[in-house]
Amino acid sequence: MKGTIKTLTDKGFGFIAREGEAKDLFFHSKELVGVTFDELHQGDEVTFELADGPKGPYATAVSRA
């Protein structure tokens, strides 16, 4: 799937905006592949896979598009 980095925090997580979806998708820096958290910026396009967690869906295998 594809999306855009919407928000990054100083605590190592952020949110991805997906086209056609109202709710942003959570991701944690431990889910990054081929890029470090410090290299990401708001507006960057990323690819990811969906996973289900105890608090709902989240992004896994997040990498730059």
Side-chain angles (χ1 to χ4, degrees):
M1 303 186 83
K2 288 187 178 185
T4 304
I5 299 292
K6 183 172 182 181
T7 307
L8 296 169
T9 70
D10 59 356
K11 297 182 180 185
F13 65 88
F15 294 90
I16 298 170
R18 301 180 286 165
E19 275 191 38
E21 297 288 333
K23 191 171 182 181
D24 297 333
L25 194 62
F26 173 85
F27 78 95
H28 191 275
S29 59
K30 69 181 180 180
E31 300 294 342
L32 297 175
V33 177
V35 65
T36 66
F37 190 77
D38 292 335
E39 294 173 324
L40 290 176
H41 303 284
Q42 287 182 338
D44 285 352
E45 291 187 12
V46 292
T47 60
F48 59 91
E49 295 179 19
L50 277 179
D52 282 322
K55 294 183 179 181
Y58 67 96
T60 185
V62 179
S63 61
R64 274 207 178 110

